[in-house]
Amino acid sequence: MTDAKNVRSENRLKEIALAFLRLGFIAFGGAAAHIALMEEEFVRRRGWLSREEFVDRVGAVNLLPGPSSTEMAIYLGQLRGGFLGLLIAGAAFILPSALMMCMMAWAYVRYGALPQIAGVLWGVKPVVVVLIAQAVWSLGKTVLKSRELMAIAAMVLGLAAMHVATLALLIGTGVAWIVANRFGQNRDGRNGIAAAAVSAAGGAAVSATVAAATTTGVFAYFLKIGTLLFGSGYVLLAVLREDLVARMHWLSEAQLLDGIAVSQATPGPFFTVATFLGYVLSGWRGAGLATVGMFVPAFVYVAVTANVLPRLRKSPTASAFLDGVNAAAVALMAFVGLQFAREAVVTPLAAVIAAISAVLAFRLRVNSAWLILGGAVCGLLVKVSGLG
């Protein structure tokens, strides 16, 4: 009896490993696309859980800091195979992307100055700007459900332009919306309370001590981000730009945008941009430590909350916090898109690539992987021909 149970357990763990390894190689398009693939694979095809259970967990995972699609993978692994399933699912989903990012970072550092590599990245950058715009438009329609939330998003956009700390804005806006919902008796009252709380969050931001770009510093920084960051991968871009480019000066704007472009061109979690940046900052050890720092908190959060998190999503207070955080996230994504557009769309040819990508993305719903590939080919041809 015990042997049969052990065999079933081993088969389940093998099933989890193969399923999420495969997903790690094909999951292009960001967290929303990843979760859609998981729903098709694990609800429709494999029947691991019902659609209602899946939706409950998607909503619950959005309350956690860190990469939501990775946490969903970890959640599903835990549901299917317990603690070992949790570890295997997360590692298998992350591994393909992390390895690809490592190899591309090595090539970038060694050959990044060659016209061919520079051309590929030159063509991809305008596409990245369009993908950010598409995410802002899509999420904005869902998240900004009231005039009050639109007003909060506008305030966050203004505070971001004034260089207020991104993490303070995210968490502060979540708290602001809890206060507004709990104590605001009318629309004017809710607007006033939310505005005051968001402004207070902005005023409370303090400058952190700048650490040296050592392997220890790289690990500590990405561990902090993995532990505290709410929102999508595009919010991560705002945080990285504010910290690594504007405040600590570890990276140039161009290096960060190159890392983003490479991460968009590979499948798997977008948060493996940490692997690329870790390599650029501190070689192979930096890549490994940045990856561990970024993703370890996700494993810890899911392991601790696996049995209680679905119930939290039904809490009015938790839901209000999430609504506020999401409104801030949309505003920060818009701010990042504007900043990167200034860096990427600087020539008429780049503007043409961006315009064509926008038509393909918004009107024809072309998959982001094909858009990235098209931008890379266009950039390569432009650089080879000497037009760029």
Side-chain angles (χ1 to χ4, degrees):
M1 185 71 177
T2 302
D3 290 342
K5 186 176 180 180
N6 288 338
V7 169
R8 284 198 301 271
S9 177
E10 289 176 5
N11 288 340
R12 281 198 171 192
L13 295 178
K14 182 178 179 181
E15 177 190 24
I16 291 167
L18 293 176
F20 283 99
L21 197 61
R22 173 183 171 275
L23 200 62
F25 278 108
I26 67 169
F28 286 94
H34 300 171
I35 289 173
L37 287 170
M38 291 179 196
E39 193 272 338
E40 180 180 0
E41 180 72 17
F42 303 115
V43 176
R44 298 185 203 173
R45 291 188 65 245
R46 297 177 184 263
W48 285 9
L49 68 171
S50 70
R51 184 169 284 106
E52 290 75 18
E53 290 171 326
F54 185 87
V55 171
D56 285 345
R57 281 161 175 79
V58 171
V61 155
N62 283 323
L63 290 172
L64 293 174
S68 57
S69 63
T70 303
E71 287 166 343
M72 190 65 187
I74 297 170
Y75 228 139
L76 292 170
Q78 189 276 338
L79 185 70
R80 186 66 171 171
F83 183 72
L84 283 178
L86 174 155
L87 296 175
I88 291 170
F93 184 59
I94 295 164
L95 186 62
S97 178
L99 290 177
M100 283 185 271
M101 292 296 281
C102 253
M103 290 186 290
M104 295 182 81
W106 173 83
Y108 174 78
V109 169
R110 183 159 185 171
Y111 303 113
L114 293 179
Q116 292 81 1
I117 300 296
V120 168
L121 294 173
W122 181 90
V124 167
K125 289 175 184 179
V127 180
V128 172
V129 172
V130 171
L131 293 176
I132 294 174
Q134 184 185 35
V136 170
W137 177 257
S138 176
L139 290 177
K141 290 191 296 183
T142 301
V143 168
L144 304 180
K145 298 175 285 189
S146 67
R147 291 180 181 179
E148 293 87 352
L149 284 170
M150 292 179 187
I152 282 184
M155 284 186 279
V156 170
L157 186 61
L159 290 170
M162 296 166 62
H163 309 293
V164 173
T166 301
L167 291 176
L169 285 176
L170 285 168
I171 296 174
T173 306
V175 173
W177 195 239
I178 292 174
V179 174
N181 277 272
R182 179 168 294 182
F183 299 109
Q185 299 301 314
N186 53 52
R187 174 166 290 178
D188 292 338
R190 289 171 71 184
N191 275 335
I193 292 171
V198 172
S199 298
V206 293
S207 297
T209 302
V210 177
T214 61
T215 51
T216 302
V218 168
F219 173 74
Y221 174 75
F222 283 105
L223 181 65
K224 180 193 78 170
I225 296 302
T227 302
L228 298 177
L229 185 73
F230 282 92
S232 72
Y234 294 111
V235 177
L236 171 65
L237 307 188
V239 176
L240 294 177
R241 183 182 180 278
E242 177 191 308
D243 289 346
L244 299 183
V245 177
R247 185 166 59 83
M248 295 190 290
H249 306 293
W250 284 4
L251 297 170
S252 68
E253 187 100 40
Q255 285 176 316
L256 177 59
L257 193 53
D258 290 343
I260 294 162
V262 170
S263 66
Q264 287 280 352
T266 55
F270 180 80
F271 278 53
T272 51
V273 68
T275 308
F276 184 96
L277 299 179
Y279 185 93
V280 172
L281 289 169
S282 197
W284 294 108
R285 288 186 65 197
L289 288 173
T291 306
V292 171
M294 181 64 87
F295 287 101
V296 158
F299 287 88
V300 174
Y301 286 138
V302 174
V304 170
T305 62
N307 294 323
V308 300
L309 190 56
R311 295 195 295 272
L312 289 180
R313 189 63 179 90
K314 299 175 183 178
S315 162
T317 300
S319 293
F321 179 77
L322 183 59
D323 286 343
V325 168
N326 287 343
V330 169
L332 290 169
M333 288 161 57
F335 178 71
V336 169
L338 291 171
Q339 295 300 310
F340 284 163
R342 292 172 54 191
E343 171 75 18
V345 188
V346 293
T347 67
L349 281 172
V352 169
I353 292 174
I356 293 172
S357 299
V359 172
L360 294 173
F362 283 90
R363 298 285 296 178
L364 302 179
R365 307 291 183 184
V366 174
N367 187 284
S368 61
W370 292 110
L371 294 178
I372 292 289
L373 179 60
V377 171
C378 289
L380 186 58
L381 292 175
V382 167
K383 287 297 181 182
V384 168
S385 66
L387 297 175

